[in-house]
mmCIF file of all heavy atoms in Angstrom:
data_model
loop_
_atom_site.group_PDB
_atom_site.id
_atom_site.type_symbol
_atom_site.label_atom_id
_atom_site.label_comp_id
_atom_site.label_asym_id
_atom_site.label_seq_id
_atom_site.Cartn_x
_atom_site.Cartn_y
_atom_site.Cartn_z
ATOM 1 N N LEU F 26 -27.395 -187.367 146.546
ATOM 2 C CA LEU F 26 -26.493 -188.370 145.999
ATOM 3 C C LEU F 26 -26.126 -189.290 147.152
ATOM 4 O O LEU F 26 -25.552 -188.845 148.148
ATOM 5 C CB LEU F 26 -25.243 -187.706 145.420
ATOM 6 C CG LEU F 26 -24.125 -188.636 144.953
ATOM 7 C CD1 LEU F 26 -24.579 -189.490 143.783
ATOM 8 C CD2 LEU F 26 -22.892 -187.833 144.578
ATOM 9 N N VAL F 27 -26.494 -190.564 147.040
ATOM 10 C CA VAL F 27 -26.194 -191.544 148.089
ATOM 11 C C VAL F 27 -25.107 -192.473 147.563
ATOM 12 O O VAL F 27 -25.204 -192.998 146.448
ATOM 13 C CB VAL F 27 -27.449 -192.351 148.472
ATOM 14 C CG1 VAL F 27 -27.141 -193.303 149.619
ATOM 15 C CG2 VAL F 27 -28.588 -191.407 148.861
ATOM 16 N N VAL F 28 -24.073 -192.662 148.371
ATOM 17 C CA VAL F 28 -22.898 -193.423 147.952
ATOM 18 C C VAL F 28 -22.606 -194.531 148.956
ATOM 19 O O VAL F 28 -22.634 -194.299 150.168
ATOM 20 C CB VAL F 28 -21.661 -192.495 147.840
ATOM 21 C CG1 VAL F 28 -20.451 -193.274 147.360
ATOM 22 C CG2 VAL F 28 -21.951 -191.331 146.912
ATOM 23 N N PHE F 29 -22.336 -195.729 148.444
ATOM 24 C CA PHE F 29 -21.974 -196.860 149.288
ATOM 25 C C PHE F 29 -20.619 -197.409 148.853
ATOM 26 O O PHE F 29 -20.301 -197.419 147.664
ATOM 27 C CB PHE F 29 -23.008 -197.982 149.187
ATOM 28 C CG PHE F 29 -24.357 -197.614 149.704
ATOM 29 C CD1 PHE F 29 -25.322 -197.074 148.865
ATOM 30 C CD2 PHE F 29 -24.681 -197.781 151.044
ATOM 31 C CE1 PHE F 29 -26.569 -196.714 149.340
ATOM 32 C CE2 PHE F 29 -25.922 -197.422 151.534
ATOM 33 C CZ PHE F 29 -26.869 -196.891 150.677
ATOM 34 N N GLY F 30 -19.845 -197.881 149.822
ATOM 35 C CA GLY F 30 -18.558 -198.467 149.469
ATOM 36 C C GLY F 30 -17.757 -198.859 150.688
ATOM 37 O O GLY F 30 -18.211 -198.756 151.819
ATOM 38 N N HIS F 31 -16.530 -199.318 150.452
ATOM 39 C CA HIS F 31 -15.647 -199.749 151.533
ATOM 40 C C HIS F 31 -14.972 -198.540 152.170
ATOM 41 O O HIS F 31 -14.350 -197.724 151.491
ATOM 42 C CB HIS F 31 -14.561 -200.692 151.008
ATOM 43 C CG HIS F 31 -15.091 -202.020 150.569
ATOM 44 N ND1 HIS F 31 -15.574 -202.953 151.453
ATOM 45 C CD2 HIS F 31 -15.229 -202.560 149.338
ATOM 46 C CE1 HIS F 31 -15.972 -204.015 150.781
ATOM 47 N NE2 HIS F 31 -15.774 -203.804 149.500
ATOM 48 N N ILE F 33 -15.380 -195.464 153.530
ATOM 49 C CA ILE F 33 -15.400 -194.066 153.115
ATOM 50 C C ILE F 33 -15.003 -193.217 154.328
ATOM 51 O O ILE F 33 -15.651 -193.281 155.371
ATOM 52 C CB ILE F 33 -16.791 -193.651 152.621
ATOM 53 C CG1 ILE F 33 -17.248 -194.559 151.476
ATOM 54 C CG2 ILE F 33 -16.790 -192.194 152.156
ATOM 55 C CD1 ILE F 33 -18.666 -194.299 151.011
ATOM 56 N N GLU F 65 -22.013 -201.543 153.723
ATOM 57 C CA GLU F 65 -20.719 -200.948 153.959
ATOM 58 C C GLU F 65 -20.921 -199.507 154.439
ATOM 59 O O GLU F 65 -22.029 -199.078 154.716
ATOM 60 C CB GLU F 65 -19.923 -200.990 152.649
ATOM 61 C CG GLU F 65 -19.733 -202.420 152.128
ATOM 62 C CD GLU F 65 -19.363 -202.464 150.662
ATOM 63 O OE1 GLU F 65 -19.751 -201.552 149.922
ATOM 64 O OE2 GLU F 65 -18.683 -203.422 150.268
ATOM 65 N N THR F 66 -19.832 -198.766 154.535
ATOM 66 C CA THR F 66 -19.932 -197.358 154.886
ATOM 67 C C THR F 66 -20.696 -196.616 153.798
ATOM 68 O O THR F 66 -20.675 -196.997 152.638
ATOM 69 C CB THR F 66 -18.528 -196.753 155.019
ATOM 70 O OG1 THR F 66 -17.743 -197.614 155.841
ATOM 71 C CG2 THR F 66 -18.579 -195.381 155.659
ATOM 72 N N ALA F 67 -21.379 -195.527 154.174
ATOM 73 C CA ALA F 67 -22.141 -194.771 153.197
ATOM 74 C C ALA F 67 -21.969 -193.283 153.434
ATOM 75 O O ALA F 67 -21.612 -192.834 154.522
ATOM 76 C CB ALA F 67 -23.610 -195.156 153.272
ATOM 77 N N ALA F 68 -22.225 -192.526 152.386
ATOM 78 C CA ALA F 68 -22.202 -191.072 152.484
ATOM 79 C C ALA F 68 -23.376 -190.514 151.714
ATOM 80 O O ALA F 68 -23.883 -191.148 150.778
ATOM 81 C CB ALA F 68 -20.893 -190.517 151.919
ATOM 82 N N VAL F 87 -22.255 -189.662 136.553
ATOM 83 C CA VAL F 87 -21.970 -189.566 137.983
ATOM 84 C C VAL F 87 -21.661 -190.947 138.560
ATOM 85 O O VAL F 87 -20.728 -191.110 139.358
ATOM 86 C CB VAL F 87 -23.141 -188.904 138.723
ATOM 87 C CG1 VAL F 87 -22.940 -188.989 140.233
ATOM 88 C CG2 VAL F 87 -23.280 -187.446 138.295
ATOM 89 N N ARG F 88 -22.449 -191.960 138.165
ATOM 90 C CA ARG F 88 -22.161 -193.325 138.643
ATOM 91 C C ARG F 88 -20.751 -193.745 138.246
ATOM 92 O O ARG F 88 -20.031 -194.384 139.019
ATOM 93 C CB ARG F 88 -23.190 -194.311 138.084
ATOM 94 C CG ARG F 88 -24.557 -194.249 138.734
ATOM 95 C CD ARG F 88 -25.367 -195.502 138.450
ATOM 96 N NE ARG F 88 -25.611 -195.687 137.020
ATOM 97 C CZ ARG F 88 -26.684 -195.232 136.379
ATOM 98 N NH1 ARG F 88 -27.600 -194.541 137.024
ATOM 99 N NH2 ARG F 88 -26.835 -195.447 135.087
ATOM 100 N N PHE F 91 -17.940 -192.256 140.498
ATOM 101 C CA PHE F 91 -17.780 -192.933 141.781
ATOM 102 C C PHE F 91 -17.288 -194.365 141.613
ATOM 103 O O PHE F 91 -16.594 -194.896 142.480
ATOM 104 C CB PHE F 91 -19.091 -192.870 142.565
ATOM 105 C CG PHE F 91 -19.345 -191.522 143.161
ATOM 106 C CD1 PHE F 91 -19.972 -190.533 142.427
ATOM 107 C CD2 PHE F 91 -18.913 -191.220 144.440
ATOM 108 C CE1 PHE F 91 -20.179 -189.272 142.955
ATOM 109 C CE2 PHE F 91 -19.110 -189.962 144.990
ATOM 110 C CZ PHE F 91 -19.749 -188.981 144.238
ATOM 111 N N ALA F 92 -17.629 -194.984 140.495
ATOM 112 C CA ALA F 92 -17.153 -196.345 140.239
ATOM 113 C C ALA F 92 -15.630 -196.382 140.138
ATOM 114 O O ALA F 92 -14.999 -197.382 140.493
ATOM 115 C CB ALA F 92 -17.781 -196.890 138.954
ATOM 116 N N HIS F 94 -13.699 -194.957 142.036
ATOM 117 C CA HIS F 94 -13.223 -195.067 143.418
ATOM 118 C C HIS F 94 -13.702 -196.367 144.078
ATOM 119 O O HIS F 94 -13.564 -196.532 145.284
ATOM 120 C CB HIS F 94 -13.718 -193.875 144.245
ATOM 121 C CG HIS F 94 -13.174 -192.549 143.790
ATOM 122 N ND1 HIS F 94 -11.936 -192.082 144.161
ATOM 123 C CD2 HIS F 94 -13.711 -191.600 142.977
ATOM 124 C CE1 HIS F 94 -11.740 -190.894 143.611
ATOM 125 N NE2 HIS F 94 -12.792 -190.575 142.890
ATOM 126 N N GLY F 95 -14.305 -197.259 143.285
ATOM 127 C CA GLY F 95 -14.820 -198.507 143.825
ATOM 128 C C GLY F 95 -16.101 -198.333 144.615
ATOM 129 O O GLY F 95 -16.415 -199.146 145.493
ATOM 130 N N LEU F 96 -16.868 -197.284 144.287
ATOM 131 C CA LEU F 96 -18.082 -196.963 145.033
ATOM 132 C C LEU F 96 -19.317 -197.084 144.142
ATOM 133 O O LEU F 96 -19.239 -196.974 142.919
ATOM 134 C CB LEU F 96 -18.000 -195.538 145.582
ATOM 135 C CG LEU F 96 -16.776 -195.197 146.433
ATOM 136 C CD1 LEU F 96 -16.761 -193.715 146.761
ATOM 137 C CD2 LEU F 96 -16.768 -196.032 147.712
ATOM 138 N N GLU F 97 -20.447 -197.296 144.771
ATOM 139 C CA GLU F 97 -21.734 -197.303 144.071
ATOM 140 C C GLU F 97 -22.489 -196.036 144.442
ATOM 141 O O GLU F 97 -22.574 -195.674 145.618
ATOM 142 C CB GLU F 97 -22.551 -198.527 144.484
ATOM 143 C CG GLU F 97 -23.920 -198.590 143.827
ATOM 144 C CD GLU F 97 -24.243 -199.963 143.305
ATOM 145 O OE1 GLU F 97 -24.630 -200.823 144.098
ATOM 146 O OE2 GLU F 97 -24.091 -200.168 142.096
ATOM 147 N N ALA F 98 -23.008 -195.344 143.443
ATOM 148 C CA ALA F 98 -23.667 -194.069 143.685
ATOM 149 C C ALA F 98 -25.012 -194.006 142.972
ATOM 150 O O ALA F 98 -25.199 -194.600 141.908
ATOM 151 C CB ALA F 98 -22.784 -192.921 143.205
ATOM 152 N N ALA F 99 -25.938 -193.271 143.563
ATOM 153 C CA ALA F 99 -27.249 -193.064 142.945
ATOM 154 C C ALA F 99 -27.732 -191.664 143.278
ATOM 155 O O ALA F 99 -27.665 -191.225 144.433
ATOM 156 C CB ALA F 99 -28.257 -194.092 143.450
ATOM 157 N N ALA F 288 -33.102 -200.229 139.576
ATOM 158 C CA ALA F 288 -32.574 -201.445 138.960
ATOM 159 C C ALA F 288 -31.816 -202.246 140.012
ATOM 160 O O ALA F 288 -31.003 -201.693 140.753
ATOM 161 C CB ALA F 288 -31.644 -201.096 137.803
ATOM 162 N N HIS F 290 -29.227 -205.228 140.394
ATOM 163 C CA HIS F 290 -28.290 -206.086 139.662
ATOM 164 C C HIS F 290 -28.774 -206.250 138.223
ATOM 165 O O HIS F 290 -28.821 -207.361 137.682
ATOM 166 C CB HIS F 290 -28.150 -207.448 140.357
ATOM 167 C CG HIS F 290 -27.716 -207.347 141.787
ATOM 168 N ND1 HIS F 290 -26.452 -206.952 142.151
ATOM 169 C CD2 HIS F 290 -28.382 -207.555 142.951
ATOM 170 C CE1 HIS F 290 -26.351 -206.936 143.471
ATOM 171 N NE2 HIS F 290 -27.512 -207.284 143.979
ATOM 172 N N VAL F 296 -30.180 -200.562 134.034
ATOM 173 C CA VAL F 296 -29.405 -199.691 134.919
ATOM 174 C C VAL F 296 -29.378 -198.273 134.361
ATOM 175 O O VAL F 296 -29.531 -197.293 135.097
ATOM 176 C CB VAL F 296 -27.963 -200.221 135.090
ATOM 177 C CG1 VAL F 296 -27.086 -199.203 135.806
ATOM 178 C CG2 VAL F 296 -27.983 -201.541 135.861
ATOM 179 N N ALA F 302 -29.808 -197.288 140.781
ATOM 180 C CA ALA F 302 -29.436 -198.690 140.589
ATOM 181 C C ALA F 302 -28.647 -199.212 141.775
ATOM 182 O O ALA F 302 -27.827 -198.496 142.352
ATOM 183 C CB ALA F 302 -28.615 -198.863 139.311
ATOM 184 N N ILE F 303 -28.926 -200.453 142.152
ATOM 185 C CA ILE F 303 -28.126 -201.189 143.124
ATOM 186 C C ILE F 303 -27.472 -202.323 142.348
ATOM 187 O O ILE F 303 -28.126 -203.304 141.989
ATOM 188 C CB ILE F 303 -28.985 -201.739 144.272
ATOM 189 C CG1 ILE F 303 -29.627 -200.589 145.066
ATOM 190 C CG2 ILE F 303 -28.150 -202.629 145.203
ATOM 191 C CD1 ILE F 303 -30.614 -201.048 146.121
ATOM 192 N N CYS F 304 -26.196 -202.161 142.045
ATOM 193 C CA CYS F 304 -25.484 -203.162 141.244
ATOM 194 C C CYS F 304 -24.607 -204.067 142.096
ATOM 195 O O CYS F 304 -24.149 -205.101 141.629
ATOM 196 C CB CYS F 304 -24.633 -202.471 140.175
ATOM 197 S SG CYS F 304 -25.588 -201.488 139.000
ATOM 198 N N HIS F 305 -24.349 -203.647 143.324
ATOM 199 C CA HIS F 305 -23.519 -204.426 144.240
ATOM 200 C C HIS F 305 -24.126 -204.319 145.631
ATOM 201 O O HIS F 305 -24.736 -203.315 145.986
ATOM 202 C CB HIS F 305 -22.081 -203.903 144.263
ATOM 203 C CG HIS F 305 -21.459 -203.767 142.910
ATOM 204 N ND1 HIS F 305 -20.968 -204.838 142.207
ATOM 205 C CD2 HIS F 305 -21.292 -202.681 142.117
ATOM 206 C CE1 HIS F 305 -20.504 -204.427 141.041
ATOM 207 N NE2 HIS F 305 -20.685 -203.108 140.964
ATOM 208 N N GLY F 306 -23.938 -205.354 146.421
ATOM 209 C CA GLY F 306 -24.318 -205.264 147.819
ATOM 210 C C GLY F 306 -25.785 -205.490 148.102
ATOM 211 O O GLY F 306 -26.557 -205.955 147.270
ATOM 212 N N SER F 307 -26.169 -205.110 149.304
ATOM 213 C CA SER F 307 -27.455 -205.451 149.891
ATOM 214 C C SER F 307 -28.609 -204.606 149.359
ATOM 215 O O SER F 307 -28.458 -203.417 149.072
ATOM 216 C CB SER F 307 -27.365 -205.278 151.408
ATOM 217 O OG SER F 307 -28.621 -205.284 152.006
ATOM 218 N N GLN F 310 -29.904 -201.115 150.829
ATOM 219 C CA GLN F 310 -29.541 -199.788 150.339
ATOM 220 C C GLN F 310 -30.782 -198.990 149.953
ATOM 221 O O GLN F 310 -30.799 -197.760 150.058
ATOM 222 C CB GLN F 310 -28.620 -199.914 149.117
ATOM 223 C CG GLN F 310 -27.234 -200.439 149.436
ATOM 224 C CD GLN F 310 -26.383 -200.605 148.183
ATOM 225 O OE1 GLN F 310 -26.318 -199.693 147.370
ATOM 226 N NE2 GLN F 310 -25.752 -201.752 148.022
ATOM 227 N N PHE F 314 -32.367 -194.697 150.158
ATOM 228 C CA PHE F 314 -32.806 -193.838 149.051
ATOM 229 C C PHE F 314 -34.066 -193.052 149.440
ATOM 230 O O PHE F 314 -34.378 -192.051 148.806
ATOM 231 C CB PHE F 314 -33.121 -194.672 147.811
ATOM 232 C CG PHE F 314 -31.927 -195.338 147.182
ATOM 233 C CD1 PHE F 314 -32.098 -196.356 146.256
ATOM 234 C CD2 PHE F 314 -30.626 -194.964 147.509
ATOM 235 C CE1 PHE F 314 -31.018 -196.968 145.647
ATOM 236 C CE2 PHE F 314 -29.535 -195.577 146.927
ATOM 237 C CZ PHE F 314 -29.733 -196.587 145.985
#
Side-chain angles (χ1 to χ4, degrees):
L26 173 64
V27 183
V28 182
F29 295 91
H31 291 290
I33 303 175
E65 301 161 331
T66 311
V87 172
R88 285 198 299 268
F91 284 86
H94 296 278
L96 305 173
E97 178 135 79
H290 303 290
V296 170
I303 297 174
C304 299
H305 308 282
S307 166
Q310 290 177 48
F314 293 165

